Amino acid sequence: MHIAALAKVVPDYEVPAGDFELAGNRAHSRYTRMIGLYDENAVETGIQLKEKYGAVLSIISYGSSADVPILRKAIAMGADDLSIVQGDSDDPFVIAANLKMAIEQMNDIDLVLAGQQSADLDRGVVHAILAEMLGCTFLAQISEIESGNGAWTVRQNHENGSRMLRLSGRAVFSITSSPQNVPRIPAVRAIMAAKKKPVGKLQGIETPPMQAGEVKVEIPKMESVCEFLSLDDLGQTAKTLLGKLREERYL
Amino acid sequence: MRVPYWNIGYGYAIDLLAFPVLVIFLSGLYNHYRKIRKGQERFKKSPDKEHSRPGPFFISSVLTKGILGTRIYRKFFTGLAHGLVFWGMATLSLGTLLVLADVVLKLPVFSGAFNRWFMSFGLDLAGISVLTGLIFFLVRRLFPPDRLVTPKERKGLFPMAGLLAVIIVTGFLTEAMRIKALGPDPASFIGNFVSGLLPAGVLSTTFHRYLWWLHGFLALGFVAYIPYSPMVHMVLAPVNIALADPRPGPKMGVIDFSFFDDEEEDPENSPALGVAKLGDFTRKRLLDFDTCLWCGRCHEVCPAAQTQQPLSPKKVVLTLAELLAANRFTDELPEVLGSDAIFSCTTCAACMEACPISINQPKTIMQIRQNLAMERSELPELMSKAYNSLEQRRHPFFGTGSGPKDWQKGLDVPVFERGKTEYLLWAGCVATYDERAQKIARAMVNILSHAGISYGVLSKPRCTGDPAKQMGNEFLFTEIARENIEEFSDLQIEKIITLCPHCYNSFTRHYPELGGRYEVIPHSVLISRLIASNLLPVSSDGSSFCYHDPCYLARRNHIEETPRQVLEAIGNLVEMPRSKRESFCCGGGGGNYWSEPSGVRINQVRAKEALDTGTDMIATSCPFCLLMLTDGVKKYTEDNKVFDIAELIDARLRSG
Ligand code: SF4
Ligand code: SF4
């Protein structure tokens, strides 16, 4: 069994809204870069499958070679190898095409895992496009995976519950976070060993982007307004508070 | 003149028997030594030092804590009883040796004033002292305080103390029989008294002979059995104290990770990080375990143990002592002790401070934690989130709503300039990323500007890495510390003002070992100096302040008085029952600021203790303590009563 987990390096996804700024329509370069939140869940899921079924886990990323030191965390967590397809496009179609190229070069990938959405653009489309390009089944929001009798049995999460699905053949799953796939913290010796592992670098391919161009990027300005209500008469204060909340349509 | 071995035929046989006894005694001690040798060498820093250095030996500690037993007297009656037994036994042993010297070397110890005042009066006094002390200990074992029996009571002390009491009593009876037969010895006040109690017509010479031999055999038996009983602490405790670094706090040091940098080496084969098994500890730690008295003084002061958390430092040490005694060097310690116990330690060092024989409990706990954190990556949930944030963002405040410069809003805070600025104002991660603690940094900026100090902050705030160290990840700490040291070198920083005692402790204790040496001053100390030099015009307004000593200032660095001087300049100081070096932790140390609250909460216990003084305000000089106590106080009052020293001074400067 050979599994590929897709990982994208993104700017810190926890930057407080009040501190967020753009530079050239993208997050300012001063923010720390890290592996996307759900991508780490995908990597963790891959490692668990590796441990359970003796699989080989490859990490594939599309981005710049400057991302390699950050991506090594996935190796330290337990993945076997890392390949980076070098490119700088934000276009989901271009990214998917490049990832497809890397997967096909590996030749024997049985399963592709990807975070349900990237932590920077939050689009959640690349994996679906990739599945289409690979011609295999795509299932979204997967939280648990089992393999047996030549088939995958998976749990798909919904807003109010989950359902179990079974399928066979090559597949792409988008992984959501669950208590079972909280990313592990790599052990120190694994971090050091990961630093010494060779990394596969693939040149990105040129491919036509989607027929949509970026016009403008905006982030909402954070504004906090504070109003103190008098506490002289608690009953009256409660009424005033209710009135204000209704006025602002919070209730 | 008294005759040695009066009424005893072949009395010297008891001296001859002392030789096999000595062999049994020494072979018992050798067994301890053999087990302790299974630990790691203490100094293995560089190959040239290997096998060559015995390690430091702290003579003044042996004299004070070891021989005089200064720490023992913190519990007055126990200390007194111990002193009576120890000094009494020392005197009696000397008396026995002098008898031997009389027989072998013809030293006239049984004549004149020396006989009267030492051999008769002195030895009687010593005997009664030992007996008094032993009665105290025996009675206390019958009605033991909680600390002696929780989580477990030590077996073997009662019989040995009982045996010693019998030896003393038989000694007095022998003396009384001799006096009965030969007439009163004017200075032997106990012997004379006991002899007076003996019935007339008793066959004193016969009984004297039997009792003399009984006394001698029991005494030899006692000596032979010392290394095989808890009494071995008489030998081990002074050695343990002598080898313990007397600087306050656990002295964690730093780990050399250069092994991993070697391209040739396989990281998978590197030595274990931290401690997983008994044999991973240094010999000094094993000596600690072997020496432990099971007295429970550490248990009694431990904030975790006292709030029903799963940790008791006494339990940790005695469990390891039992493994050592049973030669069990391969048990996995995190499983034996429980990782929840290991992570409950706040690293407050109260246990170390209380331990009469200089055992380093926090280091033991932290070394096992290091193994859990670095080898197994096992951290409690919240701590692991803080760790992840520290690793990725270089600060542990995950989910913070504050940007790195938010605390400076509305203030004109200068950035440190190489060659121009004198002090680096090190805000630290708490005062940067926590909204409540940001007020400390803001207050300090106002204070420094008011006093005309040349200071600046880093353009990009950083953390010292201390939380990583406390969570057990020495590797991440080293990485962050090295980054900081590099930046400080670029900026030619020499002087640092800290707002957080953890940062202070890191800069002064750990950074020098990594090559970063600075003049570091905690903000409370600087404020005190500025007030003393009339650079901060403040005066007392009659408010009362109860000062909570942060563990990392008071206990670990002995900074207790200067923060109090600051408060005395603006009001009246009130003290909690537990203060200064005996302060009770706020509960936030050891990464436990990021722990799930469970059971009785340490910060609430401490907040109550402070509020019970009837103080107007609770003052502290640590942002972690400030946050923990602010939260703790909420259980008892809606009022905001907890402030940092800098906030209190700043408010008075403004209103003045
Ligand atoms: S350092 Fe503090 S919390 Fe840790 S064991 Fe000692 S007393 Fe308890
Ligand atoms: S570690 Fe020290 S304080 Fe604790 S039980 Fe042992 S001797 Fe007593």
Side-chain angles (χ1 to χ4, degrees):
Chain A
M1 187 189 294
H2 192 171
I3 301 167
L6 309 180
K8 182 180 181 187
V9 175
V10 295
D12 187 354
Y13 41 81
E14 266 193 16
V15 173
D19 186 44
F20 193 77
E21 60 176 316
L22 291 173
N25 276 355
R26 292 292 173 268
H28 195 284
S29 60
R30 72 180 165 92
Y31 303 119
T32 315
R33 291 175 68 75
M34 51 194 69
I35 298 179
L37 194 61
Y38 291 111
D39 290 353
E40 282 200 1
N41 296 124
V43 172
E44 174 62 36
T45 307
I47 295 166
Q48 288 177 14
L49 290 173
K50 171 186 164 172
E51 287 169 350
K52 196 165 174 189
Y53 302 111
V56 173
L57 177 65
S58 298
I59 305 295
I60 305 174
S61 182
Y62 173 80
S64 120
S65 54
D67 294 341
V68 169
I70 299 158
L71 290 163
R72 284 190 192 277
K73 180 178 179 186
I75 302 276
M77 285 168 73
D80 295 291
D81 52 74
L82 165 66
S83 301
I84 181 142
V85 188
Q86 298 180 73
D88 58 4
S89 174
D90 267 341
D91 186 284
F93 199 84
V94 175
I95 299 171
N98 276 277
L99 292 171
K100 172 181 176 257
M101 178 268 290
I103 289 166
E104 282 180 341
Q105 277 199 11
M106 288 182 183
N107 221 6
D108 60 346
I109 297 288
D110 302 295
L111 179 67
V112 179
L113 306 174
Q116 70 171 46
Q117 66 208 55
S118 65
D120 52 351
L121 298 172
D122 282 342
R123 288 179 302 211
V125 291
V126 169
H127 30 53
I129 300 173
L130 174 66
E132 173 67 22
M133 286 177 172
L134 290 170
C136 60
T137 316
F138 170 68
L139 288 175
Q141 305 272 66
I142 301 303
S143 63
E144 280 172 40
I145 304 168
E146 294 209 355
S147 165
N149 303 326
W152 305 107
T153 310
V154 299
R155 180 182 297 278
Q156 188 174 49
N157 281 13
H158 296 274
E159 201 173 324
N160 302 318
S162 67
R163 61 178 178 157
M164 301 299 289
L165 299 164
R166 183 164 295 136
L167 69 155
S168 52
R170 198 154 75 144
V172 176
F173 297 150
S174 90
I175 304 295
T176 190
S177 68
S178 75
Q180 286 74 42
N181 64 17
V182 175
R184 66 192 64 193
I185 295 174
V188 167
R189 67 184 65 238
I191 294 174
M192 298 313 279
K195 282 187 183 171
K196 295 179 182 173
K197 278 235 167 167
V199 174
K201 286 189 183 163
L202 306 173
Q203 204 47 55
I205 47 167
E206 294 288 333
T207 190
M210 293 202 308
Q211 295 304 306
E214 192 171 275
V215 181
K216 195 169 150 195
V217 177
E218 273 182 310
I219 48 167
K221 273 260 165 288
M222 267 286 288
E223 241 185 275
S224 55
V225 182
C226 184
E227 185 181 343
F228 290 94
L229 302 182
S230 147
L231 275 181
D232 296 339
D233 176 352
L234 277 180
Q236 188 52 43
T237 311
K239 272 189 204 149
T240 316
L241 180 61
L242 271 177
K244 286 189 180 283
L245 290 174
R246 281 205 190 98
E247 235 171 68
E248 299 290 334
R249 296 186 171 275
Y250 289 113
L251 294 178
Chain B
M1 192 167 111
R2 240 174 84 186
V3 180
Y5 303 143
W6 171 83
N7 188 37
I8 309 294
Y10 307 106
Y12 55 84
I14 210 90
D15 299 320
L16 292 177
L17 277 174
F19 288 101
V21 163
L22 192 65
V23 171
I24 298 171
F25 177 85
L26 289 177
S27 106
L29 282 189
Y30 181 68
N31 281 340
H32 286 271
Y33 174 75
R34 261 191 12 213
K35 281 182 193 158
I36 289 165
R37 286 278 300 177
K38 291 187 185 167
Q40 304 295 312
E41 278 177 70
R42 203 166 165 206
F43 291 97
K44 247 205 229 171
K45 284 184 184 155
S46 59
D48 57 317
K49 283 183 190 160
E50 239 176 353
H51 312 301
S52 60
R53 243 174 79 188
F57 191 84
F58 301 97
I59 294 182
S60 68
S61 302
V62 185
L63 293 177
T64 53
K65 292 181 225 163
I67 308 289
L68 294 175
T70 44
R71 286 258 175 100
I72 297 182
Y73 292 95
R74 286 189 185 170
K75 290 202 179 292
F76 181 72
F77 291 110
T78 312
L80 185 65
H82 193 273
L84 290 173
V85 174
F86 178 81
W87 291 109
M89 282 307 295
T91 313
L92 290 173
S93 308
L94 179 64
T96 310
L97 284 176
L98 287 173
V99 175
L100 187 65
D102 182 307
V103 174
V104 180
L105 306 171
K106 303 288 175 235
L107 205 67
V109 298
F110 287 124
S111 62
F114 186 79
N115 176 42
R116 189 159 54 251
W117 292 114
F118 185 78
M119 298 305 286
S120 298
F121 180 80
L123 295 188
D124 267 21
L125 186 64
I128 200 68
S129 302
V130 174
L131 204 54
T132 312
L134 288 173
I135 290 169
F136 172 88
F137 286 127
L138 290 169
V139 171
R140 202 182 50 159
R141 287 279 152 184
L142 293 175
F143 308 99
D146 187 53
R147 68 182 168 87
L148 284 182
V149 290
T150 313
K152 216 177 194 182
E153 186 178 9
R154 189 168 208 180
K155 303 283 175 252
L157 271 171
F158 194 91
M160 281 301 268
L163 175 59
L164 193 54
V166 172
I167 293 168
I168 301 294
V169 170
T170 52
F172 279 136
L173 284 173
T174 313
E175 184 187 36
M177 295 290 178
R178 174 173 52 78
I179 289 171
K180 192 94 189 154
L182 299 179
D185 181 343
S188 297
F189 62 105
I190 300 286
N192 292 338
F193 173 73
V194 179
S195 132
L197 298 179
L198 295 176
V202 68
L203 288 172
S204 37
T205 47
T206 314
F207 278 124
H208 171 266
R209 200 175 304 127
Y210 291 144
L211 275 171
W212 192 93
W213 284 108
L214 179 65
H215 173 77
F217 282 128
L218 289 179
L220 287 177
F222 178 82
V223 172
Y225 199 58
I226 285 175
Y228 310 91
S229 77
M231 286 292 174
V232 72
H233 77 263
M234 293 186 330
V235 183
L236 298 184
V239 179
N240 196 51
I241 291 166
L243 295 174
D245 183 341
R247 287 177 302 158
K251 297 154 293 264
M252 288 304 295
V254 294
I255 295 179
D256 180 6
F257 291 98
S258 57
F259 178 94
F260 290 114
D261 297 332
D262 190 337
E263 285 298 325
E264 303 296 307
E265 298 286 357
D266 179 2
E268 297 297 335
N269 297 329
S270 67
L273 297 170
V275 163
K277 300 190 170 107
L278 203 56
D280 297 337
F281 280 117
T282 60
R283 293 170 187 169
K284 173 63 180 69
R285 286 291 80 70
L286 297 188
L287 178 61
D288 273 0
F289 312 146
D290 207 16
T291 313
C292 176
L293 313 168
W294 298 33
C295 68
R297 290 186 190 210
C298 52
H299 177 89
E300 196 176 49
V301 296
C302 171
Q306 293 309 308
T307 52
Q308 291 81 55
Q309 317 282 326
L311 170 70
S312 155
K314 175 183 170 185
K315 187 173 176 198
V316 169
V317 177
L318 72 83
T319 306
L320 297 172
E322 286 178 328
L323 291 183
L324 182 69
N327 245 321
R328 280 166 55 184
F329 279 79
T330 50
D331 294 44
E332 289 285 336
L333 300 183
E335 274 67 37
V336 175
L337 296 165
S339 62
D340 49 349
I342 296 302
F343 280 105
S344 297
C345 176
T346 69
T347 67
C348 72
C351 47
M352 259 193 103
E353 185 66 28
C355 180
I357 53 169
S358 303
I359 287 175
N360 196 338
Q361 308 89 335
K363 190 163 186 174
T364 298
I365 295 166
M366 284 304 292
Q367 286 180 322
I368 301 173
R369 188 184 285 191
Q370 284 175 343
N371 190 268
L372 281 167
M374 291 192 284
E375 294 283 11
R376 301 196 191 180
S377 302
E378 273 179 39
L379 279 101
E381 198 182 329
L382 277 185
M383 250 190 232
S384 62
K385 285 187 177 167
Y387 167 82
N388 265 330
S389 179
L390 196 52
E391 200 233 327
Q392 292 174 324
R393 306 180 182 93
R394 294 305 194 233
H395 74 76
F397 285 81
F398 61 94
T400 175
S402 294
K405 293 197 174 164
D406 282 6
W407 71 271
Q408 301 174 16
K409 271 187 190 150
L411 293 175
D412 186 16
V413 184
V415 171
F416 189 96
E417 288 183 73
R418 184 192 356 225
K420 286 190 185 161
T421 316
E422 186 180 359
Y423 284 100
L424 169 71
L425 173 61
W426 177 267
C429 58
V430 199
T432 301
Y433 292 103
D434 181 274
E435 257 184 72
R436 170 67 189 89
Q438 284 170 359
K439 291 182 184 165
I440 308 174
R442 295 173 66 82
M444 202 56 201
V445 161
N446 289 335
I447 289 171
L448 293 173
S449 306
H450 198 103
I453 303 290
S454 160
Y455 76 96
V457 296
L458 292 178
S459 55
K460 193 172 178 231
R462 318 183 66 115
C463 168
T464 48
D466 182 76
K469 193 175 184 89
Q470 295 196 41
M471 290 179 211
N473 200 310
E474 192 67 30
F475 179 72
L476 181 58
F477 165 76
T478 310
E479 223 175 53
I480 297 175
R482 286 198 195 283
E483 288 165 12
N484 289 338
I485 291 170
E486 203 178 306
E487 183 165 0
F488 291 0
S489 300
D490 285 351
L491 289 169
Q492 293 169 1
I493 287 167
E494 289 172 0
K495 296 180 183 177
I496 305 175
I497 303 164
T498 55
L499 302 181
C500 171
H502 296 267
C503 300
Y504 174 76
N505 194 68
S506 260
F507 284 142
T508 53
R509 287 288 179 87
H510 309 308
Y511 275 51
E513 292 185 55
L514 297 169
R517 287 185 177 75
Y518 316 101
E519 186 184 321
V520 191
I521 181 162
H523 74 314
S524 54
V525 176
L526 180 67
I527 293 173
S528 157
R529 282 190 205 160
L530 295 176
I531 292 174
S533 354
N534 290 325
L535 287 168
L536 298 176
V538 287
S539 56
S540 171
D541 63 4
S543 308
S544 60
F545 301 103
C546 173
Y547 180 64
H548 162 80
D549 288 273
C551 305
Y552 275 66
L553 270 195
R555 213 156 15 235
R556 288 195 177 225
N557 288 290
H558 291 181
I559 297 173
E560 305 151 17
E561 293 308 328
T562 29
R564 287 179 165 74
Q565 285 159 8
V566 173
L567 295 172
E568 275 162 350
I570 54 169
N572 303 320
L573 191 64
V574 289
E575 292 286 2
M576 284 184 261
R578 293 177 285 190
S579 65
K580 301 186 179 173
R581 283 175 214 179
E582 279 156 34
S583 173
F584 190 72
C585 179
C586 69
N592 278 284
Y593 177 76
W594 296 278
S595 67
E596 316 279 350
S598 69
V600 184
R601 294 177 60 186
I602 300 173
N603 58 342
Q604 291 174 350
V605 173
R606 186 57 168 169
K608 170 115 184 12
E609 191 174 339
L611 291 172
D612 283 350
T613 62
T615 185
D616 295 331
M617 275 169 261
I618 301 167
T620 188
S621 49
C622 167
F624 281 109
C625 295
L626 178 96
L627 299 178
M628 293 301 289
L629 292 177
T630 302
D631 182 53
V633 157
K634 281 185 193 148
K635 185 175 178 200
Y636 308 101
T637 171
E638 291 288 308
D639 300 339
N640 184 17
K641 283 194 166 244
V642 190
F643 299 93
D644 185 89
I645 274 184
E647 292 178 279
L648 295 171
I649 295 297
D650 179 42
R652 277 148 189 82
L653 286 177
R654 287 161 186 275
S655 63

